[in-house]
Amino acid sequence: MDRQPLDLFIIGGGINGCGIARDAAGRGLSVALAEKGDLGGATSSASTKLFHGGLRYLEFFEFGLVKSALKEREILLKAMPHISWPMRFVLPYSADMRFDAETQTSRLLSWIMPWMKGRRPAWLIRLGLFMYDHLGGRKILPATQTLDLRVGPEGAPLQDRFEMGYEYLIVGSKIRFW
Ligand SMILES: Cc1cc2nc3c(=O)[nH]c(=O)nc-3n(C[C@H](O)[C@H](O)[C@H](O)COP(=O)(O)OP(=O)(O)OC[C@H]3O[C@@H](n4cnc5c(N)ncnc54)[C@H](O)[C@@H]3O)c2cc1C
């Protein structure tokens, strides 16, 4: 039996453990991984397999987290173009939509614009998407676009109050363990 010390011993074979093992092995380190059940058998088996970049964390002012998630998304898209692809998302907007009251953005807005009562001005959503477009040094995916939902197929199944929306791209993947 080989008794050489390892560079890295990883406990847990979910996407994080396996991803770290792959990355470390790719850098020439000797790696072992212990999994108590099955590889990818826990939380990772339930994932929708999107490299989303963490748009919703902007609500919590987690700018560093979103920046690193967006950078990682570009890296993954380049590293595995055969099993990842851009996916178009349309975010409908209506001025009367209400958002989670427990986020940092909600707290700040209730202080400076108390009359909004959980709603978001369109410019704020656009600002969030602008940051999402630029925080991670995006090179591959196109930037967010504003859509007129009164025309075109995107708005057809929606209520009339959704007159505009935003189109942005995230990345879907075929990463599977089974
Ligand atoms: C419904 C759903 C959808 C999601 N969609 C997305 C998405 O689209 N995009 C995205 O980025 N994230 C998504 N997530 C989040 C993502 O799935 C998790 O963040 C990720 O799977 C966590 O991976 P992990 O390796 O940290 O944990 P896990 O997958 O839980 O792996 C931990 C592993 O460690 C093992 N383990 C624990 N203790 C020990 C021990 N003592 N010894 C040996 N092994 C041990 C467990 O058996 C398990 O296999 C989603 C989550 C859910 C629930």
Side-chain angles (χ1 to χ4, degrees), residues 11-16 34-36 42-44 46-50 52:
I11 300 173
I15 188 64
N16 282 317
E35 165 54 51
K36 70 175 179 180
T43 315
S44 299
S47 165
T48 29
K49 318 287 187 287
L50 301 174
H52 46 67

Side-chain angles (χ1 to χ4, degrees), residues 91-143:
L91 180 66
Y93 173 79
S94 160
D96 59 4
M97 276 163 47
R98 290 185 194 274
F99 288 70
D100 183 352
E102 299 303 317
T103 71
Q104 268 72 358
T105 304
S106 283
R107 288 193 193 109
L108 182 65
L109 269 190
S110 66
W111 183 53
I112 56 172
M113 299 172 74
W115 60 91
M116 291 304 286
K117 297 194 185 308
R119 294 176 302 242
R120 297 280 183 279
W123 62 261
L124 189 63
I125 305 280
R126 192 67 191 84
L127 177 65
L129 287 161
F130 178 84
M131 290 168 75
Y132 185 71
D133 281 344
H134 293 94
L135 269 177
R138 175 186 51 83
K139 292 195 183 69
I140 302 172
L141 300 178

Side-chain angles (χ1 to χ4, degrees), residues 9-171:
F9 189 86
I10 298 166
I11 300 173
I15 188 64
N16 282 317
C18 292
I20 291 166
R22 175 202 172 275
D23 191 79
R27 291 167 198 260
L29 301 179
S30 58
V31 184
L33 185 151
E35 165 54 51
K36 70 175 179 180
D38 199 359
L39 289 177
T43 315
S44 299
S45 69
S47 165
T48 29
K49 318 287 187 287
L50 301 174
F51 310 154
H52 46 67
L55 177 63
R56 80 184 191 89
Y57 299 114
L58 289 178
E59 273 279 320
F60 297 88
F61 296 173
E62 296 272 8
F63 304 116
L65 177 70
V66 178
K67 183 176 180 172
S68 59
L70 289 168
K71 277 188 172 168
E72 191 70 14
R73 184 176 76 170
E74 290 265 326
I75 293 168
L76 291 170
L77 200 49
K78 270 189 220 137
M80 49 187 87
H82 54 303
I83 51 167
S84 57
W85 59 90
M87 284 178 71
R88 180 173 176 255
F89 267 59
V90 174
L91 180 66
Y93 173 79
S94 160
D96 59 4
M97 276 163 47
R98 290 185 194 274
F99 288 70
D100 183 352
E102 299 303 317
T103 71
Q104 268 72 358
T105 304
S106 283
R107 288 193 193 109
L108 182 65
L109 269 190
S110 66
W111 183 53
I112 56 172
M113 299 172 74
W115 60 91
M116 291 304 286
K117 297 194 185 308
R119 294 176 302 242
R120 297 280 183 279
W123 62 261
L124 189 63
I125 305 280
R126 192 67 191 84
L127 177 65
L129 287 161
F130 178 84
M131 290 168 75
Y132 185 71
D133 281 344
H134 293 94
L135 269 177
R138 175 186 51 83
K139 292 195 183 69
I140 302 172
L141 300 178
T144 300
Q145 288 185 35
T146 303
L147 296 178
D148 183 349
L149 297 180
R150 294 167 301 182
V151 294
E154 298 87 358
L158 301 176
Q159 294 171 356
D160 291 345
R161 67 193 175 103
F162 293 103
E163 294 186 352
M164 53 103 72
Y166 303 101
E167 175 191 303
Y168 64 102
L169 285 130
I170 61 169
V171 179

